[in-house]
Amino acid sequence: MNQDRILVTYLTQAKDLRKKAEGIAVGMTVGSWTDVPAAKQEELRPYLGEAVDVTPLSMLESGETRGFVTISYPTRNFTPDIPSLLTGIFGKLSMDGKIKLVDIQFPDSFSSLFPGPKYGIEGIREATRGYDRPLLMSIFKSCLGMPFDDLKTQFRAQALGGLDLVKDDEIFFADDKAPFLTRIQAFGEIARDVEQSTGKRVLYAANLTGPVHQLIDRAKQAVEAGADCLLFNVLAFGFDVLHRLAADPDVTVPIMAHPALAGAFYPSPDYGIATPLLLGKLMRLAGADLVLFPSPYGNVALDKTEALQLSQNLLDPSVTLKRPFPVPSAGIHPGLVPQLFADFGVDQVVNAGGGIHGHPGGATAGAKAFVDAIAASVQGRTLAEAAQDSEELSLALAKWGGK
Amino acid sequence: MNQDRILVTYLTQAKDLRKKAEGIAVGMTVGSWTDVPAAKQEELRPYLGEAVDVTPLSMLESGETRGFVTISYPTRNFTPDIPSLLTGIFGKLSMDGKIKLVDIQFPDSFSSLFPGPKYGIEGIREATRGYDRPLLMSIFKSCLGMPFDDLKTQFRAQALGGLDLVKDDEIFFADDKAPFLTRIQAFGEIARDVEQSTGKRVLYAANLTGPVHQLIDRAKQAVEAGADCLLFNVLAFGFDVLHRLAADPDVTVPIMAHPALAGAFYPSPDYGIATPLLLGKLMRLAGADLVLFPSPYGNVALDKTEALQLSQNLLDPSVTLKRPFPVPSAGIHPGLVPQLFADFGVDQVVNAGGGIHGHPGGATAGAKAFVDAIAASVQGRTLAEAAQDSEELSLALAKWGGK
């Protein structure tokens, strides 16, 4: 593609889609065009947007046409950061009737100005020594208000099952009973202790919170305290904070992006930002090493096409940035592992909360059931076969189903 | 209200709204309840949410009921910042089917932990010496790519008309032709020059941009360069950045919150965050001194009830924080001033772009037409009467209508 242009696709509706596209191209860049004197036009032309494609989808009863419009914006219109990008392509436009931001195509010249993931899939596989299989992550059953000793007990129980990662609950901000740096140190000790007995290293992802102007320092303090990984509520704090964490050479741990608040953006067909862009392309650009998103399973779930597109955007080999791990989350139990494997492949993190803590044998057995289900899927065995050698998996399948 | 609880209202739908409310109260706080041992319940009870109100609105064909549910959350669940608050009350919940965050009621004990506006209406009236009337603001016709000399010419032309404020275009990030600090100094000189000839002081609001971890320093540099005011894309950078700017004693200028990207949140009836909360209560809490929002006039506009509620939330005297100026924006021309005055009262900023630059006599005349329209409204005169003494207003009414 043209290295000097960004292509932005919107889903919208209008009496005349082409005219609407042309209005966006001018209105979001130089403001007005036809009433600009010719000499001034030459000066402003390098900043002018251009309507490059219109794809009608359906005629509405109102007489309007619904469809995609694609605008080409000069990269020079933006500073290389997501606040500039989103304000420039969707800032005031987001308030201009029914319009949803669905995709952005970046030239390498622009995306290479972003950090992208510092570690990505390869780096996290090295850190966990987990190769050629989906990794496994567990979430604390609850963090808020829990006595520190209970959290330590929970951490140990999960880790003993052979997990690759354990993460905080994303609502864990008020942590006076188990302060950030203190628990990083404490869980680090438990992880080393568990590794001595099981041989398996587990990474702990602590929730990075605090005043926004102190987050980079807090992240560095976490690194000094021995942190393995940081969980981060990217949308609550802003994409640019992730960007600056990922770009800082002293923040030497992977960053796990939580999708909290994403549902305020993506589910409407008429408004907002589509999730393959929001949690896919933008998270990768800004530097997430792992990206959680709603799985396409369960009662309330992400549309499967969207979830797969999101994952593909994280893994797209044509983008020169590192690739973050997709982490399809919510409603995951061991019986779903073959489906997860079929849908998302080897490069994913299987992430469970209730599916581990709710195991009849407790969290250690819950983790073990997943470990065995993942091994079976990679080996091409059915869960029913694998359950013959795994009491934990057998109990899990009896409780949640799956084969 | 109870000083230890925050009340949060959602619009949602469910087969059983009460049950859904109870699920939210537990799920967004301690995670689970009925399977928690009694001794542990006593430890966690201080963190437990409570379903306090359910208001059904309508039965849907699906058999579900649509309505409001209100949950009471303990203030201790949150650190006093908006990322913690939004993650804690809407983070994962936003992805859980049709649910919109519509209102939050804060006890003083919690809102007093936020900075609120540093200047507010009274401070800005002092700075502009504009009392007992709506203030008047103009937007540059275009900023992106414009030669510096053209911007200077535009600034002077607008200022000469007797405005109180001039603001940058919010998409003005790539400003190499007219860098941030350089243009603050240059426009400051022009403003002083204009004041010498007209006696009227005009404030210039420069768009604060840059890497998020440098924004506080950039704001301080702007103050040192003589800035009057800063424009800020709050949603693109995150509420907490506004909070920390407002809380910093060395950022000694008012902050004007732009609503760019707000349309990604508020317009859907089923999802997102309602605008009286998003651009009203939360902007005030985080410390905006002026808040732009879509006016309820024009083709594509904010619902009038929502716009008025938003404005009321900014001005609510029962909140102990200072009050930001409401700035209903877009589609504003001099003929609308009596309507604006009737709807939003004396404590507002009348904000126009095309309604000033599009005046047949140019931007100076365009500003003068607004000045005269505002004076007429305050004096209780019709625009038709006022136009008899104002050629500029007369021309504006002939072009855009209104009386």
Side-chain angles (χ1 to χ4, degrees), chain B residues 117-185:
Chain B
K118 198 179 280 162
Y119 297 93
I121 291 173
E122 281 66 32
I124 290 162
R125 288 200 181 283
E126 271 180 44
T128 59
R129 299 194 294 274
Y131 299 101
D132 306 318
R133 61 169 173 82
L135 299 187
L136 176 61
M137 177 157 74
S138 176
I139 314 163
F140 281 86
K141 190 173 183 181
S142 177
C143 291
L144 194 64
M146 289 289 277
F148 202 172
D149 281 344
D150 290 30
L151 291 177
K152 288 180 195 165
T153 304
Q154 265 196 53
F155 184 81
R156 184 182 296 274
Q158 295 170 88
L160 281 170
L163 296 161
D164 298 293
L165 302 113
V166 176
K167 69 173 267 295
D168 276 348
D169 202 348
E170 80 284 357
I171 62 168
F172 200 25
F173 282 71
D175 60 356
D176 44 297
K177 287 186 181 174
F180 184 58
L181 297 178
T182 314
R183 69 179 191 271
I184 286 171
Q185 287 166 332

Side-chain angles (χ1 to χ4, degrees), chain A residues 38-301:
Chain A
K40 199 56 66 187
Q41 283 193 348
E42 283 323 294
E43 266 176 329
L44 292 181
R45 190 178 299 280
Y47 300 85
L48 180 63
E50 194 188 344
V52 293
D53 196 43
V54 169
T55 308
L57 295 177
S58 59
M59 278 291 285
L60 305 175
E61 281 184 19
S62 62
E64 292 190 323
T65 306
R66 182 173 161 86
F68 294 110
V69 301
T70 298
I71 311 295
S72 151
Y73 292 90
T75 56
R76 69 161 53 80
N77 287 19
F78 311 101
T79 51
D81 57 81
I82 292 179
S84 171
L85 182 70
L86 289 181
T87 304
I89 65 175
F90 201 46
K92 66 182 174 188
L93 186 60
S94 72
M95 297 177 276
D96 194 10
K98 289 191 175 176
I99 185 155
K100 183 167 184 172
L101 175 63
V102 294
D103 193 32
I104 310 177
Q105 292 173 262
F106 301 101
D108 271 351
S109 67
F110 191 73
S111 55
S112 65
L113 302 174
F114 285 78
K118 198 179 278 162
Y119 298 92
I121 291 173
E122 281 66 31
I124 291 161
R125 288 200 180 284
E126 271 180 43
T128 59
R129 298 194 294 273
Y131 299 101
D132 305 320
R133 60 168 174 85
L135 300 187
L136 176 61
M137 177 158 73
S138 175
I139 313 164
F140 280 86
K141 191 172 182 180
S142 177
C143 292
L144 194 64
M146 290 290 276
F148 202 174
D149 281 343
D150 290 31
L151 291 177
K152 288 179 194 165
T153 305
Q154 264 197 53
F155 184 82
R156 184 182 297 271
Q158 295 170 87
L160 281 169
L163 295 162
D164 298 294
L165 301 113
V166 175
K167 70 173 269 294
D168 276 347
D169 202 348
E170 80 285 356
I171 62 169
F172 201 23
F173 281 72
D175 60 358
D176 44 297
K177 287 186 181 174
F180 184 59
L181 298 178
T182 314
R183 70 180 190 270
I184 286 171
Q185 287 166 333
F187 295 169
E189 280 172 32
I190 299 172
R192 283 187 291 278
D193 195 39
V194 167
E195 186 175 358
Q196 289 219 326
S197 79
T198 64
K200 177 76 195 82
R201 179 155 185 227
V202 60
L203 307 188
Y204 163 58
N207 195 22
L208 179 64
T209 64
V212 65
H213 63 302
Q214 296 172 5
L215 289 176
I216 291 179
D217 284 345
R218 296 257 292 164
K220 290 178 188 171
Q221 289 161 12
V223 170
E224 279 168 30
D228 303 311
C229 186
L230 291 170
L231 175 69
F232 191 53
N233 287 296
V234 177
L235 300 175
F237 282 105
F239 274 109
D240 205 56
V241 183
L242 172 60
H243 177 145
R244 305 306 159 183
L245 288 166
D248 193 308
D250 296 329
V251 178
T252 53
V253 290
I255 302 168
M256 183 185 298
H258 195 279
L261 297 177
F265 291 92
Y266 69 71
S268 165
D270 297 321
Y271 304 103
I273 303 178
T275 198
L277 172 62
L278 184 77
L279 300 179
K281 288 187 178 183
L282 295 182
M283 286 292 184
R284 184 177 182 184
L285 208 61
D289 295 288
L290 307 102
V291 178
L292 277 76
F293 57 90
S295 83
Y297 322 111
N299 289 337
V300 176

Side-chain angles (χ1 to χ4, degrees), chain A residues 275-337:
Chain A
T275 198
L277 172 62
L278 184 77
L279 300 179
K281 288 187 178 183
L282 295 182
M283 286 292 184
R284 184 177 182 184
L285 208 61
D289 295 288
L290 307 102
V291 178
L292 277 76
F293 57 90
S295 83
Y297 322 111
N299 289 337
V300 176
L302 196 58
D303 171 78
K304 190 158 179 176
T305 311
E306 298 239 318
L308 294 177
Q309 185 62 55
L310 193 174
S311 179
Q312 281 166 30
N313 287 349
L314 296 178
L315 302 178
D316 181 357
S318 75
V319 175
T320 50
L321 302 170
K322 285 186 179 147
R323 302 173 308 148
F325 254 119
V327 191
S329 302
I332 306 298
H333 58 78
L336 271 174
V337 168

Side-chain angles (χ1 to χ4, degrees), chain B residues 16-33:
Chain B
D16 181 339
L17 273 184
R18 163 67 57 183
K19 207 168 157 187
K20 172 136 193 179
E22 285 162 1
I24 294 170
V26 172
M28 293 301 288
T29 57
V30 300
S32 54
W33 191 246

